[in-house]
Amino acid sequence: CGIPRVSTHTLVTQEAREYFEAFKKYHRATDSLFNDQAAHDTVGAVALDLAGNLAAATSTGGIPAKKSGRVGDSPLIGCGAMADNPVAAVSTTGHGESIMRVMLARLVADKVAQGCGAEAAAKSALAIMRERTGGCGGCILITTDRQIAANFTTHKMPWAIRTGEQEVVSGIDHPYSNPEVPSLVE
């Protein structure tokens, strides 16, 4: 037909090659950081005050090799954090794309609203995320009836809890749950 044959390599620009290499690194980074590694740079907090108001916050250190313009899960309500006074306050950490796909904080709170205790809600929501997306993560939460849980599907997740005047309880390689309702200091 008069069109000379050329190698497929000549059809790919240097810019496209660089983009593809960055894309491959991005997936390796998220897989190793969030599914295989022990810790992340996320800092989360949940609180219940004496008036019964709940609050949740999540901050992230981000991920290396992220895509330009990527907005992570932390600033998205229902993904990185959420608080609903009649239900629970939740803060999450882990693979952001997976967290966003299932709206992990909202999913945990929904489980509590449906009658699950804090620990069961966290475990169930994290299992759903793992099943649907393959991603790992963790969450901390407090319910309106003062149940507290810290659970994760990563190898480790540092957490610390303080209720009222009680001593701080902390851990890194094991989850936490207190189905007993602690008293609040007035």
Side-chain angles (χ1 to χ4, degrees):
C1 73
I3 299 173
R5 287 195 174 264
V6 295
S7 165
T8 55
H9 288 46
T10 64
L11 300 175
V12 180
T13 65
Q14 184 60 32
E15 181 181 12
R17 281 188 196 92
E18 289 169 6
Y19 180 81
F20 180 68
E21 289 304 314
F23 182 77
K24 288 192 315 190
K25 288 179 189 171
Y26 172 79
H27 283 290
R28 278 198 307 270
T30 56
D31 285 346
S32 74
L33 281 175
F34 299 108
N35 291 349
D36 298 333
Q37 296 297 316
H40 314 287
D41 291 336
T42 301
V43 176
V46 293
L48 172 67
D49 70 13
L50 292 173
N53 296 306
L54 290 164
T58 302
S59 175
T60 185
I63 59 170
K66 72 177 185 172
K67 295 178 186 178
S68 178
R70 175 189 181 269
V71 174
D73 59 292
S74 293
L76 301 177
I77 302 302
C79 297
M82 76 166 286
D84 185 9
N85 272 354
V87 182
V90 184
S91 177
T92 70
T93 183
H95 183 233
E97 279 71 11
S98 298
I99 289 170
M100 289 184 284
R101 285 186 188 117
V102 300
M103 293 185 66
L104 184 59
R106 181 217 37 96
L107 185 57
V108 173
D110 283 353
K111 295 287 183 184
V112 172
Q114 293 165 3
C116 289
E119 179 181 24
K123 283 182 177 179
S124 175
L126 288 164
I128 288 169
M129 183 175 81
R130 181 77 169 175
E131 178 183 313
R132 290 184 184 170
T133 69
C136 291
C139 64
I140 57 173
L141 71 139
I142 186 167
T143 65
T144 55
D145 64 357
R146 302 185 305 273
Q147 291 182 44
I148 301 168
N151 212 300
F152 49 95
T153 53
T154 53
H155 293 292
K156 296 180 180 181
M157 182 184 85
W159 55 265
I161 296 166
R162 181 168 185 223
T163 57
E165 296 295 323
Q166 297 178 4
E167 292 290 319
V168 173
V169 178
S170 63
I172 191 168
D173 59 0
H174 61 281
Y176 174 86
S177 172
N178 85 332
E180 305 85 35
V181 179
S183 62
L184 296 175
V185 174
E186 306 247 358

